[in-house]
Amino acid sequence: MDHGILFDHSRTARIGLPEAVFCEGKPFEALVELLGQFGRGTGRPILFTRLAPEVFDSMTEDMRAGYDFHPLSRTAYGDKLPQKDKGRVAIVSAGTADGSVAWEAARTLEYLGIRHQVFEDCGVAGLWRLAERLGEINSFDAVIVVAGLDAALTSVLGGLTPKPVFGVPTSVGYGVAKGGNAALASMLSSCAPGVAIMNIDNGYGAACAAARVVNGL
Amino acid sequence: MDHGILFDHSRTARIGLPEAVFCEGKPFEALVELLGQFGRGTGRPILFTRLAPEVFDSMTEDMRAGYDFHPLSRTAYGDKLPQKDKGRVAIVSAGTADGSVAWEAARTLEYLGIRHQVFEDCGVAGLWRLAERLGEINSFDAVIVVAGLDAALTSVLGGLTPKPVFGVPTSVGYGVAKGGNAALASMLSSCAPGVAIMNIDNGYGAACAAARVVNGL
Amino acid sequence: MDHGILFDHSRTARIGLPEAVFCEGKPFEALVELLGQFGRGTGRPILFTRLAPEVFDSMTEDMRAGYDFHPLSRTAYGDKLPQKDKGRVAIVSAGTADGSVAWEAARTLEYLGIRHQVFEDCGVAGLWRLAERLGEINSFDAVIVVAGLDAALTSVLGGLTPKPVFGVPTSVGYGVAKGGNAALASMLSSCAPGVAIMNIDNGYGAACAAARVVNGL
Amino acid sequence: MDHGILFDHSRTARIGLPEAVFCEGKPFEALVELLGQFGRGTGRPILFTRLAPEVFDSMTEDMRAGYDFHPLSRTAYGDKLPQKDKGRVAIVSAGTADGSVAWEAARTLEYLGIRHQVFEDCGVAGLWRLAERLGEINSFDAVIVVAGLDAALTSVLGGLTPKPVFGVPTSVGYGVAKGGNAALASMLSSCAPGVAIMNIDNGYGAACAAARVVNGL
Amino acid sequence: MDHGILFDHSRTARIGLPEAVFCEGKPFEALVELLGQFGRGTGRPILFTRLAPEVFDSMTEDMRAGYDFHPLSRTAYGDKLPQKDKGRVAIVSAGTADGSVAWEAARTLEYLGIRHQVFEDCGVAGLWRLAERLGEINSFDAVIVVAGLDAALTSVLGGLTPKPVFGVPTSVGYGVAKGGNAALASMLSSCAPGVAIMNIDNGYGAACAAARVVNGL
Amino acid sequence: MDHGILFDHSRTARIGLPEAVFCEGKPFEALVELLGQFGRGTGRPILFTRLAPEVFDSMTEDMRAGYDFHPLSRTAYGDKLPQKDKGRVAIVSAGTADGSVAWEAARTLEYLGIRHQVFEDCGVAGLWRLAERLGEINSFDAVIVVAGLDAALTSVLGGLTPKPVFGVPTSVGYGVAKGGNAALASMLSSCAPGVAIMNIDNGYGAACAAARVVNGL
Amino acid sequence: MDHGILFDHSRTARIGLPEAVFCEGKPFEALVELLGQFGRGTGRPILFTRLAPEVFDSMTEDMRAGYDFHPLSRTAYGDKLPQKDKGRVAIVSAGTADGSVAWEAARTLEYLGIRHQVFEDCGVAGLWRLAERLGEINSFDAVIVVAGLDAALTSVLGGLTPKPVFGVPTSVGYGVAKGGNAALASMLSSCAPGVAIMNIDNGYGAACAAARVVNGL
Amino acid sequence: MDHGILFDHSRTARIGLPEAVFCEGKPFEALVELLGQFGRGTGRPILFTRLAPEVFDSMTEDMRAGYDFHPLSRTAYGDKLPQKDKGRVAIVSAGTADGSVAWEAARTLEYLGIRHQVFEDCGVAGLWRLAERLGEINSFDAVIVVAGLDAALTSVLGGLTPKPVFGVPTSVGYGVAKGGNAALASMLSSCAPGVAIMNIDNGYGAACAAARVVNGL
């Protein structure tokens, strides 16, 4: 079986965002083949997302050596894009359980060469945690909000910052919150104006959305 | 056709909450008959909820004279229960559109003889509106939160008050917020601990829940 | 009954977006009172959205004279914000039926003083319609995509433009498309990276999201 | 990787409920770190919920010795809060399968220092089981009802007790009952007035809601 | 346009249940034509269900004279089937709002020549109302339970009667109960064994199901 | 931990159906305890449903010896109820995949002492399979229809038999059929009159419903 | 306001299907303008679907004269496409209530110049109705099945014909069948192989799908 | 236990499509028995779908030798039908993750003796990939489109080809795309006319639908 994917190599030129490989659901052999083609020093920067640690760990040591792998966010890349001079992105998350998504966004920005900072544990049930960091957050050029459950952080922060805000609902939680639909509906219904939303757990997408803003500065 | 409802008159003795008549969907003739049986001075306090102004307005003047009707909340009663000495309930709503539900709760409390106050327009997109009133809200014995859209007020207030909190999602909004399911899911997923929730638009139920608390003080 | 809304007047200072009034579901008297407070020459710019033509038409001539009303988008304002020097927004819609939402976005931008242009009938079932206009669309600083049904335009355009893209699903259609959930799910699942989504029919929100980008240029 | 959570230590002072750690979905290392920080004799009471027995069992013996762990409810704590003089809570469940949720509520109350009693197997398909215990249940200050499937117990008990009632739908069952949505909808639609509802399986939340009532006595 | 329906006249012979005409959604002209073909004295018994009073009232006096019309249940028939010697069906409803469905069942049984009795207002929030009538209900050969909201009556009655039980969820209610899906899910999840369920508001179907039982006695 | 369930032993006297134990989700220790209390020769007939083969197989040989276990249907009982003289039930299934549910019904009837026969592979995509057996099926006193996917068999058979029909949707299938909701909706919408429906996969319930019919003959 | 739609006039050349105008939801003025541009004798064949009779009736007599309007199907066209020599399509519907959708398909085929025949009232609750017509139906080159409720006709017919089958679920019915989702799920789950499905009520689409088949003969 | 399935052997004669065995969910023993009955050289062509590689691999070597097994598509057959002279089918997929479904369609066509070609990686986020192959695709007699996520390829291709188009939504993706419902809704709402849709992941069904077209050429 041949796993040769028809890559969209002109995408960077066209929209400023190089292609990424979403690994979940891809067969192991396909991932081996793909990881073998790219990697540090090949001059072909590519980002792997949703790459499970147990999958990465069963690659050969050689192959692993060519990649910067980050287990919590399940991301890997070899070469990165050159760092941009302009534009910084804040990633604000509500709770510890939102970490893997927040860091998927952070790692994607790192790979895209965009400066960024992660602000964790800013959930609104303890408002002082957000209040203390608001000034600093507002010094960034775009804000990614990562939250599950009722995602109330989106409205609170959206009402306190003038910057572009991209909300990422997470699938943490149980009962009606299970799978992230409550957070998604909550974010889409946000009473703060102009907050734009990504698919559940799509930290990669939020980073790309923020990159589109930064690329235009 | 006979509309004689089998009333549960012993309910007050049993659970401390007299029966109420939910008018929506009941035929006009049934409502005429019911409103004719009770009313001011009959010594039989009963609450009518979801009584549309246009329905009430088409009753005879005599019949209307026997009732205290409140159009925004669509509630009516003749006699009220005697005012209780102990217990006060705060009703906090996010926006103007939540008014009819907030006032349904307020009117139910009025009818039940429980002191209360309505705090409107406390939505979290402008946090200062809630902050200014928090001290006063916390002087009440129970808090009813009425909010639609993402209902983020529930988590914010639930994290700032030690009092029993009853959330009422409202059906205001459009798109994913239409019908109130986003607000309901958001409230049930609240990251503030111990916030208990009612059915969508159920201001009457929230008042009864608060009354159960007040009755036990 | 008092309809005095607790306005969040400091919002413009805080987040650069003045408050707006969502009229759907508000009682007629409340709208009369609100429209009476603002209007041309009062120096208090405010935007009314979801204001039904039949409601606006039943206002007094005097009151109507103070407003610039646009029936298709159901928007009205008196004074506008001063026009900004920088930043232009393209609004691209798939079909005629998406017009009211596309123009809600356009009118919001007009009110906010942001230059913009509407590109209608760019649905992908006839790709040449989009192809012809792509160059021009890419000269704008942000792109709002308005589409119902399968909303395929979002992915196609998202793969062809490097600019920030904000998708607005519309509620046009029937069967599984009714209410806009198919379009919403489709947009959130877009295979083009970094496309951010608003609630169904939320043209106002998309304009605010684009304004956040333009305000940062 | 650092798992240092930004604890909301002032929460007890603010709302009378100390923070709890929801363990499901947290990485093993994070749980080891957290369990290491607290535990019996540290003077820092904290409650761990949804802590799987197989996770707890793989901690060191030393660490386990510092905790009172309860496998059915999957809860653990080291120190408890001092027992309160006032207020007792009844926990009434419909069937054996609701046990883990009922005991999560019971254990949370135990940790909060609130007296309580669990009444199991009170499902309404055999009404005599509830009837026999009703008098005793009504001697408590608040009632938690835990039920899955059609959750009919909520309405029956809500119509027989004047006390604050908090319903917890459980995820037991199959077909339309799977995941607990049938029970949740049923409880929210209860024909008994003033019954307030928690998220599916949220025994912890129900205990907190009851604690808010007890704290105000 | 021709409204000639291809009637399944052999159905009575095949399954013992003559065809019925569901009127909702049929064009007025089609109903005129159908009502004209049958009616008292034609020797062709047929049942019309969901026939709106305003539609029936706009038929000619002549046509109306040929039918026994019942507005609450929206049913009409001309000739009835001969009364059967064996079998009696109890129809038990929870509240007044369930009346139209309960009476659709009753009228269908009347038309099918099956003896029956309606027991209204047996909702479980006041259990004594059911308790008083249980003995009599158990003297019937099949029981139809009609209930909306949480439909808790189904489980309670299903646990107290050995007779075949057919549950009909009703669409009364609001919020999560709106449209009857909560009642449907609740009934299907009933903890009483062997309770069989019909579509929402399908009083006609429940009567047919009971008729199948009675026809076999 | 004590697994003593409060059995409803009077249920047989009350409704003619002895209690059953639904094993799925119950802890292993609880099942061991329960299986130890009953079993062949104890004179206490009880039915265990959803008892996984791997669970039963890990009981002691002694314990297993006391039960008649049937792996496909996942049912076990020790003593059965005495066989009834009157009444026979046909169980008709659409495909092989519906076997475990069809046999759960058959085994429940066996346990209840009711004669029955299973007719498999009668799906309507090959109508001749049903046609050949229709005469025999119609000689039974009640019919249980077990079908997944579009469950079209229900309407076809419901239109061909005058006997009480109980439909059981099954959870077989994928895509929109996954979990059985398509089959459930299809059955509830059946165009054949008087077909009554059970929860998804509830073969036990269908047998109890048929038993209620047979018990009344 | 300008209603000038950007027509996709090259569509006929590209895919053999000329553009159609879906009228529902379009403003009256837009429809007046569109109907004015086309019509009999203009040599520009165009099909209007979902054109409500009350809308068409309020056009000028002149305008109406230019169109062949069919109220039940709510379709209108001026010129038709020339009749094709090859290919005939059968449209088979389950009940009278499916008429408007069946005739939308028929009228679309008429407009496209494709021979066809409508077979109504073939619902499977009376199988003889379909059996009698099966031979004739199988003489056509493609079959459109129109059915609501449980849409069982799709599987039955799909198992009896070798021709391409296109199913159209209809929105007739109530309760779980309301809006057509039960019929849609049922059709998509059909146990007959190779049955392809259209959106709910999309008779126009089914005709186009059949036309694609006929165009290739 | 007997796994003898009542095969519908006359199906090929009746509808031109021989029976297939859907293996998922069938017990291992049943599959062993079935695979034992057919296989190369038995002259009884039969197709096994959803046959997991790990299941096939645990069959005896002898048994495996009798089958052509294809792991990615999880299909197996012994003998094939004779190759047809007329008719060729194109299978166009959006991304690598859609491979298993695309190849299930391809293998079914191979088994049915119908010529076909698979075109992979034609997703619309990089339109040039589809554009390059459009001419060749249009030389086929029917087109199967396999796509997940927003399935935008369906509308784009449906607007560019005059051939019969059968869409198969796939269950790839996460968040709102999980399980394939977003893709299904998107395809059913396609703005390209006459695109007919199969159940999620139903590559087998799409091949059968295309075979119905090819069989009629």
Side-chain angles (χ1 to χ4, degrees), chain B:
Chain B
M1 206 174 321
D2 177 25
H3 297 289
I5 294 182
L6 191 60
F7 269 100
D8 185 6
H9 293 301
S10 63
R11 209 171 79 174
T12 316
R14 220 168 55 235
I15 65 170
L17 296 165
E19 195 151 7
V21 175
F22 183 85
C23 301
E24 211 169 270
K26 289 222 170 56
F28 185 74
E29 298 74 28
L31 294 176
V32 168
E33 198 183 311
L34 284 165
L35 285 162
Q37 287 174 44
F38 305 91
R40 202 168 290 133
T42 59
R44 301 171 66 189
I46 198 156
L47 176 70
F48 292 85
T49 64
R50 301 281 179 104
L51 178 56
E54 52 278 18
V55 171
F56 186 75
D57 289 351
S58 43
M59 298 286 157
T60 63
E61 201 185 314
D62 234 48
M63 203 171 272
R64 280 183 285 135
Y67 285 91
D68 179 338
F69 179 66
H70 183 264
L72 176 60
S73 64
R74 296 179 292 161
T75 52
Y77 48 73
D79 295 330
K80 298 192 284 183
L81 272 64
Q83 174 136 341
K84 288 180 202 301
D85 291 341
K86 295 176 79 171
R88 291 161 65 243
V89 178
I91 301 157
V92 184
S93 76
T96 320
D98 304 314
S100 65
V101 177
W103 284 99
E104 185 184 276
R107 287 274 298 177
T108 301
L109 290 167
E110 181 68 26
Y111 161 72
L112 293 171
I114 295 174
R115 279 169 299 157
H116 58 276
Q117 186 172 334
V118 178
F119 298 82
E120 294 192 280
D121 280 310
C122 296
V124 299
L127 269 180
W128 57 269
R129 297 183 294 197
L130 177 62
E132 285 186 357
R133 292 133 140 197
L134 183 62
E136 192 177 0
I137 289 168
N138 274 341
S139 73
F140 286 75
D141 297 292
V143 180
I144 292 170
V145 180
V146 181
L149 301 172
D150 64 349
L153 176 58
T154 321
S155 282
V156 172
L157 187 48
L160 295 171
T161 184
K163 300 304 167 69
V165 177
F166 300 101
V168 190
T170 61
S171 58
V172 308
Y174 61 93
V176 298
K178 195 174 184 179
N181 284 304
L184 174 63
S186 175
M187 282 191 177
L188 285 166
S189 308
S190 173
C191 47
V195 173
I197 310 302
M198 316 307 300
N199 193 4
I200 297 161
D201 289 340
N202 192 5
Y204 163 75
C208 289
R212 286 174 181 262
V213 171
V214 163
N215 288 345
L217 291 180

Side-chain angles (χ1 to χ4, degrees), chain G residues 10-187:
Chain G
S10 64
R11 211 172 73 174
T12 316
R14 220 168 53 236
I15 65 168
L17 297 165
E19 194 150 9
V21 175
F22 182 86
C23 301
E24 212 168 271
K26 291 222 168 56
F28 185 75
E29 298 73 29
L31 293 175
V32 169
E33 197 184 312
L34 283 164
L35 284 162
Q37 286 175 45
F38 305 92
R40 203 167 290 134
T42 58
R44 302 172 65 189
I46 199 156
L47 176 69
F48 292 85
T49 63
R50 302 282 178 103
L51 178 56
E54 53 277 19
V55 171
F56 186 75
D57 289 351
S58 44
M59 299 285 157
T60 63
E61 201 186 312
D62 234 48
M63 202 170 274
R64 281 182 285 135
Y67 285 92
D68 180 339
F69 179 66
H70 184 263
L72 177 61
S73 64
R74 296 179 293 161
T75 53
Y77 47 74
D79 295 330
K80 298 192 283 183
L81 270 66
Q83 175 136 340
K84 287 181 202 300
D85 290 339
K86 295 177 80 171
R88 293 160 63 246
V89 179
I91 300 155
V92 184
S93 75
T96 319
D98 304 314
S100 64
V101 177
W103 284 98
E104 185 184 276
R107 289 272 301 175
T108 302
L109 290 167
E110 181 68 27
Y111 161 71
L112 294 171
I114 294 175
R115 280 171 298 157
H116 59 276
Q117 187 173 331
V118 178
F119 299 82
E120 295 192 279
D121 279 310
C122 296
V124 298
L127 269 181
W128 57 269
R129 297 184 296 197
L130 177 62
E132 284 186 357
R133 292 134 143 195
L134 183 62
E136 193 177 358
I137 289 168
N138 274 341
S139 73
F140 286 76
D141 298 293
V143 180
I144 292 170
V145 181
V146 181
L149 304 171
D150 64 350
L153 177 57
T154 320
S155 281
V156 172
L157 188 48
L160 295 171
T161 185
K163 301 303 166 70
V165 177
F166 299 101
V168 189
T170 61
S171 58
V172 308
Y174 60 94
V176 297
K178 196 175 185 179
N181 284 306
L184 174 64
S186 176
M187 283 193 176

Side-chain angles (χ1 to χ4, degrees), chain C:
Chain C
M1 207 174 321
D2 177 24
H3 297 289
I5 294 182
L6 191 61
F7 270 100
D8 183 7
H9 292 300
S10 63
R11 209 172 75 174
T12 315
R14 221 168 55 234
I15 66 170
L17 296 165
E19 194 150 9
V21 175
F22 183 84
C23 300
E24 211 168 87
K26 290 222 169 57
F28 184 76
E29 298 73 28
L31 294 176
V32 169
E33 199 183 312
L34 283 165
L35 284 163
Q37 287 175 44
F38 304 91
R40 203 167 289 134
T42 59
R44 302 170 67 188
I46 198 156
L47 176 69
F48 293 85
T49 63
R50 301 281 179 105
L51 177 56
E54 52 277 18
V55 170
F56 186 75
D57 290 350
S58 43
M59 300 283 158
T60 63
E61 202 186 311
D62 234 49
M63 203 170 273
R64 280 182 286 134
Y67 284 92
D68 180 339
F69 179 67
H70 184 263
L72 177 61
S73 64
R74 295 178 295 160
T75 51
Y77 47 73
D79 295 331
K80 298 191 284 182
L81 270 66
Q83 175 136 340
K84 287 179 201 301
D85 290 339
K86 295 177 79 170
R88 292 161 63 243
V89 179
I91 301 155
V92 183
S93 76
T96 320
D98 304 314
S100 64
V101 176
W103 283 99
E104 185 184 277
R107 288 272 300 176
T108 302
L109 290 166
E110 181 68 28
Y111 162 72
L112 293 171
I114 294 174
R115 280 169 299 157
H116 59 276
Q117 187 173 333
V118 179
F119 299 82
E120 294 191 281
D121 279 309
C122 296
V124 297
L127 269 181
W128 57 268
R129 297 184 294 198
L130 177 63
E132 285 186 356
R133 292 133 142 196
L134 184 62
E136 191 175 1
I137 290 168
N138 274 341
S139 72
F140 286 75
D141 299 292
V143 180
I144 293 170
V145 181
V146 182
L149 302 173
D150 64 349
L153 177 58
T154 321
S155 281
V156 173
L157 187 48
L160 295 171
T161 184
K163 299 305 167 68
V165 177
F166 299 101
V168 189
T170 62
S171 57
V172 307
Y174 60 93
V176 299
K178 195 173 184 180
N181 284 304
L184 175 63
S186 175
M187 283 192 175
L188 285 166
S189 307
S190 174
C191 47
V195 173
I197 310 302
M198 316 306 300
N199 193 4
I200 296 162
D201 289 339
N202 192 5
Y204 163 75
C208 289
R212 287 175 180 262
V213 171
V214 164
N215 288 346
L217 292 179

Side-chain angles (χ1 to χ4, degrees), chain H residues 71-89:
Chain H
L72 177 61
S73 65
R74 295 178 294 160
T75 52
Y77 47 74
D79 295 330
K80 297 192 285 182
L81 271 64
Q83 174 134 340
K84 288 180 201 300
D85 290 339
K86 298 177 76 171
R88 293 161 62 245
V89 178

Side-chain angles (χ1 to χ4, degrees), chain D residues 96 120-121, chain F residues 1-7 30 33-34 37:
Chain D
T96 320
E120 293 191 280
D121 280 310
Chain F
M1 207 173 320
D2 176 25
H3 297 290
I5 293 182
L6 191 60
F7 270 100
E33 197 184 312
L34 283 165
Q37 288 175 43

Side-chain angles (χ1 to χ4, degrees), chain F residues 94-95 97-98 146-153 168-187, chain G residues 150 155 182 185-192, chain H residues 22 199:
Chain F
D98 305 313
V146 180
L149 302 173
D150 64 350
L153 176 59
V168 189
T170 61
S171 57
V172 308
Y174 59 95
V176 298
K178 195 173 183 180
N181 283 306
L184 174 63
S186 176
M187 283 193 176
Chain G
D150 64 350
S155 281
S186 176
M187 283 193 176
L188 285 166
S189 307
S190 174
C191 47
Chain H
F22 183 86
N199 192 5

Side-chain angles (χ1 to χ4, degrees), chain D residues 123-127 149-156 158-160 174 176-177 181-193, chain E residues 123-127 149-156 158-160 174 176-177 181-193:
Chain D
V124 298
L127 269 181
L149 302 173
D150 64 349
L153 177 59
T154 322
S155 282
V156 171
L160 294 171
Y174 61 93
V176 298
N181 285 304
L184 174 64
S186 176
M187 282 191 175
L188 285 165
S189 306
S190 173
C191 47
Chain E
V124 299
L127 268 181
L149 303 172
D150 64 349
L153 176 59
T154 320
S155 281
V156 171
L160 294 171
Y174 60 92
V176 298
N181 285 306
L184 175 63
S186 174
M187 283 192 175
L188 286 166
S189 307
S190 174
C191 47

